[in-house]
mmCIF file with all atom_site columns, all heavy atoms in Angstrom:
data_model
loop_
_atom_site.group_PDB
_atom_site.id
_atom_site.type_symbol
_atom_site.label_atom_id
_atom_site.label_alt_id
_atom_site.label_comp_id
_atom_site.label_asym_id
_atom_site.label_entity_id
_atom_site.label_seq_id
_atom_site.pdbx_PDB_ins_code
_atom_site.Cartn_x
_atom_site.Cartn_y
_atom_site.Cartn_z
_atom_site.occupancy
_atom_site.B_iso_or_equiv
_atom_site.pdbx_formal_charge
_atom_site.auth_seq_id
_atom_site.auth_comp_id
_atom_site.auth_asym_id
_atom_site.auth_atom_id
_atom_site.pdbx_PDB_model_num
ATOM 1   N N   . PRO A 1 216 ? 38.314 165.826 20.768 1.00 0.00 ? 230 PRO A N   1
ATOM 2   C CA  . PRO A 1 216 ? 39.254 165.893 19.664 1.00 0.00 ? 230 PRO A CA  1
ATOM 3   C C   . PRO A 1 216 ? 40.396 166.851 19.933 1.00 0.00 ? 230 PRO A C   1
ATOM 4   O O   . PRO A 1 216 ? 40.175 167.963 20.419 1.00 0.00 ? 230 PRO A O   1
ATOM 5   C CB  . PRO A 1 216 ? 38.389 166.388 18.489 1.00 0.00 ? 230 PRO A CB  1
ATOM 6   C CG  . PRO A 1 216 ? 37.217 167.037 19.137 1.00 0.00 ? 230 PRO A CG  1
ATOM 7   C CD  . PRO A 1 216 ? 36.980 166.319 20.420 1.00 0.00 ? 230 PRO A CD  1
ATOM 8   N N   . PRO A 1 217 ? 41.652 166.442 19.657 1.00 0.00 ? 231 PRO A N   1
ATOM 9   C CA  . PRO A 1 217 ? 42.790 167.327 19.904 1.00 0.00 ? 231 PRO A CA  1
ATOM 10  C C   . PRO A 1 217 ? 42.818 168.479 18.912 1.00 0.00 ? 231 PRO A C   1
ATOM 11  O O   . PRO A 1 217 ? 42.340 168.362 17.792 1.00 0.00 ? 231 PRO A O   1
ATOM 12  C CB  . PRO A 1 217 ? 43.998 166.396 19.684 1.00 0.00 ? 231 PRO A CB  1
ATOM 13  C CG  . PRO A 1 217 ? 43.493 165.340 18.753 1.00 0.00 ? 231 PRO A CG  1
ATOM 14  C CD  . PRO A 1 217 ? 42.054 165.140 19.107 1.00 0.00 ? 231 PRO A CD  1
ATOM 15  N N   . LYS A 1 218 ? 43.351 169.603 19.368 1.00 0.00 ? 232 LYS A N   1
ATOM 16  C CA  . LYS A 1 218 ? 43.482 170.747 18.481 1.00 0.00 ? 232 LYS A CA  1
ATOM 17  C C   . LYS A 1 218 ? 44.534 170.456 17.419 1.00 0.00 ? 232 LYS A C   1
ATOM 18  O O   . LYS A 1 218 ? 45.573 169.881 17.693 1.00 0.00 ? 232 LYS A O   1
ATOM 19  C CB  . LYS A 1 218 ? 43.892 171.986 19.278 1.00 0.00 ? 232 LYS A CB  1
ATOM 20  C CG  . LYS A 1 218 ? 42.836 172.451 20.261 1.00 0.00 ? 232 LYS A CG  1
ATOM 21  C CD  . LYS A 1 218 ? 43.297 173.689 21.010 1.00 0.00 ? 232 LYS A CD  1
ATOM 22  C CE  . LYS A 1 218 ? 42.226 174.155 21.985 1.00 0.00 ? 232 LYS A CE  1
ATOM 23  N NZ  . LYS A 1 218 ? 42.662 175.352 22.733 1.00 0.00 ? 232 LYS A NZ  1
ATOM 24  N N   . LYS A 1 219 ? 44.245 170.876 16.192 1.00 0.00 ? 233 LYS A N   1
ATOM 25  C CA  . LYS A 1 219 ? 45.187 170.656 15.112 1.00 0.00 ? 233 LYS A CA  1
ATOM 26  C C   . LYS A 1 219 ? 46.381 171.586 15.267 1.00 0.00 ? 233 LYS A C   1
ATOM 27  O O   . LYS A 1 219 ? 46.221 172.787 15.439 1.00 0.00 ? 233 LYS A O   1
ATOM 28  C CB  . LYS A 1 219 ? 44.503 170.910 13.763 1.00 0.00 ? 233 LYS A CB  1
ATOM 29  C CG  . LYS A 1 219 ? 45.396 170.569 12.575 1.00 0.00 ? 233 LYS A CG  1
ATOM 30  C CD  . LYS A 1 219 ? 44.647 170.771 11.278 1.00 0.00 ? 233 LYS A CD  1
ATOM 31  C CE  . LYS A 1 219 ? 45.529 170.442 10.080 1.00 0.00 ? 233 LYS A CE  1
ATOM 32  N NZ  . LYS A 1 219 ? 44.835 170.657 8.808  1.00 0.00 ? 233 LYS A NZ  1
ATOM 33  N N   . GLU A 1 220 ? 47.559 171.013 15.217 1.00 0.00 ? 234 GLU A N   1
ATOM 34  C CA  . GLU A 1 220 ? 48.765 171.818 15.369 1.00 0.00 ? 234 GLU A CA  1
ATOM 35  C C   . GLU A 1 220 ? 49.235 172.356 14.029 1.00 0.00 ? 234 GLU A C   1
ATOM 36  O O   . GLU A 1 220 ? 49.063 171.724 12.994 1.00 0.00 ? 234 GLU A O   1
ATOM 37  C CB  . GLU A 1 220 ? 49.881 170.966 15.990 1.00 0.00 ? 234 GLU A CB  1
ATOM 38  C CG  . GLU A 1 220 ? 49.578 170.519 17.409 1.00 0.00 ? 234 GLU A CG  1
ATOM 39  C CD  . GLU A 1 220 ? 50.732 169.754 18.011 1.00 0.00 ? 234 GLU A CD  1
ATOM 40  O OE1 . GLU A 1 220 ? 51.705 169.479 17.278 1.00 0.00 ? 234 GLU A OE1 1
ATOM 41  O OE2 . GLU A 1 220 ? 50.667 169.424 19.208 1.00 0.00 ? 234 GLU A OE2 1
ATOM 42  N N   . LYS A 1 221 ? 49.853 173.525 14.069 1.00 0.00 ? 235 LYS A N   1
ATOM 43  C CA  . LYS A 1 221 ? 50.417 174.091 12.861 1.00 0.00 ? 235 LYS A CA  1
ATOM 44  C C   . LYS A 1 221 ? 51.738 173.393 12.549 1.00 0.00 ? 235 LYS A C   1
ATOM 45  O O   . LYS A 1 221 ? 52.380 172.825 13.424 1.00 0.00 ? 235 LYS A O   1
ATOM 46  C CB  . LYS A 1 221 ? 50.668 175.591 13.049 1.00 0.00 ? 235 LYS A CB  1
ATOM 47  C CG  . LYS A 1 221 ? 49.399 176.402 13.273 1.00 0.00 ? 235 LYS A CG  1
ATOM 48  C CD  . LYS A 1 221 ? 49.750 177.869 13.460 1.00 0.00 ? 235 LYS A CD  1
ATOM 49  C CE  . LYS A 1 221 ? 48.486 178.692 13.685 1.00 0.00 ? 235 LYS A CE  1
ATOM 50  N NZ  . LYS A 1 221 ? 48.804 180.127 13.890 1.00 0.00 ? 235 LYS A NZ  1
ATOM 51  N N   . ASP A 1 222 ? 52.135 173.432 11.276 1.00 0.00 ? 236 ASP A N   1
ATOM 52  C CA  . ASP A 1 222 ? 53.423 172.860 10.902 1.00 0.00 ? 236 ASP A CA  1
ATOM 53  C C   . ASP A 1 222 ? 54.539 173.564 11.669 1.00 0.00 ? 236 ASP A C   1
ATOM 54  O O   . ASP A 1 222 ? 54.511 174.778 11.873 1.00 0.00 ? 236 ASP A O   1
ATOM 55  C CB  . ASP A 1 222 ? 53.661 173.016 9.393  1.00 0.00 ? 236 ASP A CB  1
ATOM 56  C CG  . ASP A 1 222 ? 52.722 172.145 8.586  1.00 0.00 ? 236 ASP A CG  1
ATOM 57  O OD1 . ASP A 1 222 ? 52.191 171.174 9.161  1.00 0.00 ? 236 ASP A OD1 1
ATOM 58  O OD2 . ASP A 1 222 ? 52.521 172.439 7.402  1.00 0.00 ? 236 ASP A OD2 1
ATOM 59  N N   . MET A 1 223 ? 55.531 172.779 12.097 1.00 0.00 ? 237 MET A N   1
ATOM 60  C CA  . MET A 1 223 ? 56.644 173.352 12.847 1.00 0.00 ? 237 MET A CA  1
ATOM 61  C C   . MET A 1 223 ? 57.500 174.232 11.938 1.00 0.00 ? 237 MET A C   1
ATOM 62  O O   . MET A 1 223 ? 57.768 173.886 10.787 1.00 0.00 ? 237 MET A O   1
ATOM 63  C CB  . MET A 1 223 ? 57.499 172.226 13.440 1.00 0.00 ? 237 MET A CB  1
ATOM 64  C CG  . MET A 1 223 ? 58.663 172.722 14.269 1.00 0.00 ? 237 MET A CG  1
ATOM 65  S SD  . MET A 1 223 ? 59.522 171.377 15.104 1.00 0.00 ? 237 MET A SD  1
ATOM 66  C CE  . MET A 1 223 ? 58.352 171.028 16.418 1.00 0.00 ? 237 MET A CE  1
ATOM 67  N N   . GLN A 1 224 ? 57.888 175.373 12.479 1.00 0.00 ? 238 GLN A N   1
ATOM 68  C CA  . GLN A 1 224 ? 58.740 176.297 11.751 1.00 0.00 ? 238 GLN A CA  1
ATOM 69  C C   . GLN A 1 224 ? 60.157 176.254 12.338 1.00 0.00 ? 238 GLN A C   1
ATOM 70  O O   . GLN A 1 224 ? 60.361 175.884 13.492 1.00 0.00 ? 238 GLN A O   1
ATOM 71  C CB  . GLN A 1 224 ? 58.181 177.720 11.845 1.00 0.00 ? 238 GLN A CB  1
ATOM 72  C CG  . GLN A 1 224 ? 56.746 177.846 11.352 1.00 0.00 ? 238 GLN A CG  1
ATOM 73  C CD  . GLN A 1 224 ? 56.611 177.508 9.886  1.00 0.00 ? 238 GLN A CD  1
ATOM 74  O OE1 . GLN A 1 224 ? 57.421 177.956 9.066  1.00 0.00 ? 238 GLN A OE1 1
ATOM 75  N NE2 . GLN A 1 224 ? 55.602 176.730 9.534  1.00 0.00 ? 238 GLN A NE2 1
ATOM 76  N N   . LEU A 1 225 ? 61.138 176.657 11.542 1.00 0.00 ? 239 LEU A N   1
ATOM 77  C CA  . LEU A 1 225 ? 62.520 176.629 11.995 1.00 0.00 ? 239 LEU A CA  1
ATOM 78  C C   . LEU A 1 225 ? 62.755 177.581 13.154 1.00 0.00 ? 239 LEU A C   1
ATOM 79  O O   . LEU A 1 225 ? 63.693 177.404 13.942 1.00 0.00 ? 239 LEU A O   1
ATOM 80  C CB  . LEU A 1 225 ? 63.470 176.984 10.836 1.00 0.00 ? 239 LEU A CB  1
ATOM 81  C CG  . LEU A 1 225 ? 63.551 175.950 9.702  1.00 0.00 ? 239 LEU A CG  1
ATOM 82  C CD1 . LEU A 1 225 ? 64.450 176.470 8.598  1.00 0.00 ? 239 LEU A CD1 1
ATOM 83  C CD2 . LEU A 1 225 ? 64.068 174.618 10.224 1.00 0.00 ? 239 LEU A CD2 1
ATOM 84  N N   . THR A 1 226 ? 61.900 178.590 13.280 1.00 0.00 ? 240 THR A N   1
ATOM 85  C CA  . THR A 1 226 ? 62.074 179.565 14.358 1.00 0.00 ? 240 THR A CA  1
ATOM 86  C C   . THR A 1 226 ? 61.322 179.182 15.626 1.00 0.00 ? 240 THR A C   1
ATOM 87  O O   . THR A 1 226 ? 61.409 179.871 16.631 1.00 0.00 ? 240 THR A O   1
ATOM 88  C CB  . THR A 1 226 ? 61.588 180.949 13.888 1.00 0.00 ? 240 THR A CB  1
ATOM 89  O OG1 . THR A 1 226 ? 60.236 180.830 13.428 1.00 0.00 ? 240 THR A OG1 1
ATOM 90  C CG2 . THR A 1 226 ? 62.477 181.501 12.785 1.00 0.00 ? 240 THR A CG2 1
ATOM 91  N N   . ASP A 1 227 ? 60.546 178.067 15.582 1.00 0.00 ? 241 ASP A N   1
ATOM 92  C CA  . ASP A 1 227 ? 59.800 177.641 16.763 1.00 0.00 ? 241 ASP A CA  1
ATOM 93  C C   . ASP A 1 227 ? 60.748 177.244 17.890 1.00 0.00 ? 241 ASP A C   1
ATOM 94  O O   . ASP A 1 227 ? 61.847 176.756 17.650 1.00 0.00 ? 241 ASP A O   1
ATOM 95  C CB  . ASP A 1 227 ? 58.888 176.453 16.436 1.00 0.00 ? 241 ASP A CB  1
ATOM 96  C CG  . ASP A 1 227 ? 57.696 176.866 15.595 1.00 0.00 ? 241 ASP A CG  1
ATOM 97  O OD1 . ASP A 1 227 ? 57.468 178.083 15.471 1.00 0.00 ? 241 ASP A OD1 1
ATOM 98  O OD2 . ASP A 1 227 ? 57.001 175.983 15.072 1.00 0.00 ? 241 ASP A OD2 1
ATOM 99  N N   . GLN A 1 228 ? 60.303 177.460 19.137 1.00 0.00 ? 242 GLN A N   1
ATOM 100 C CA  . GLN A 1 228 ? 61.099 177.105 20.312 1.00 0.00 ? 242 GLN A CA  1
ATOM 101 C C   . GLN A 1 228 ? 60.634 175.753 20.838 1.00 0.00 ? 242 GLN A C   1
ATOM 102 O O   . GLN A 1 228 ? 59.435 175.515 20.984 1.00 0.00 ? 242 GLN A O   1
ATOM 103 C CB  . GLN A 1 228 ? 60.903 178.167 21.396 1.00 0.00 ? 242 GLN A CB  1
ATOM 104 C CG  . GLN A 1 228 ? 61.199 179.569 20.900 1.00 0.00 ? 242 GLN A CG  1
ATOM 105 C CD  . GLN A 1 228 ? 62.549 180.068 21.359 1.00 0.00 ? 242 GLN A CD  1
ATOM 106 O OE1 . GLN A 1 228 ? 63.009 179.709 22.422 1.00 0.00 ? 242 GLN A OE1 1
ATOM 107 N NE2 . GLN A 1 228 ? 63.170 180.893 20.563 1.00 0.00 ? 242 GLN A NE2 1
ATOM 108 N N   . VAL A 1 229 ? 61.563 174.860 21.115 1.00 0.00 ? 243 VAL A N   1
ATOM 109 C CA  . VAL A 1 229 ? 61.250 173.538 21.653 1.00 0.00 ? 243 VAL A CA  1
ATOM 110 C C   . VAL A 1 229 ? 62.168 173.253 22.823 1.00 0.00 ? 243 VAL A C   1
ATOM 111 O O   . VAL A 1 229 ? 63.234 173.849 22.957 1.00 0.00 ? 243 VAL A O   1
ATOM 112 C CB  . VAL A 1 229 ? 61.417 172.426 20.581 1.00 0.00 ? 243 VAL A CB  1
ATOM 113 C CG1 . VAL A 1 229 ? 60.440 172.617 19.449 1.00 0.00 ? 243 VAL A CG1 1
ATOM 114 C CG2 . VAL A 1 229 ? 62.846 172.394 20.048 1.00 0.00 ? 243 VAL A CG2 1
ATOM 115 N N   . ALA A 1 230 ? 61.727 172.332 23.680 1.00 0.00 ? 244 ALA A N   1
ATOM 116 C CA  . ALA A 1 230 ? 62.563 171.928 24.804 1.00 0.00 ? 244 ALA A CA  1
ATOM 117 C C   . ALA A 1 230 ? 63.741 171.111 24.294 1.00 0.00 ? 244 ALA A C   1
ATOM 118 O O   . ALA A 1 230 ? 63.605 170.313 23.361 1.00 0.00 ? 244 ALA A O   1
ATOM 119 C CB  . ALA A 1 230 ? 61.746 171.096 25.790 1.00 0.00 ? 244 ALA A CB  1
#
Side-chain angles (χ1 to χ4, degrees):
K232 294 181 179 179
K233 185 177 180 181
E234 295 183 354
K235 296 180 180 179
D236 291 340
M237 181 173 285
Q238 304 297 315
L239 292 176
T240 55
D241 288 348
Q242 306 258 329
V243 296

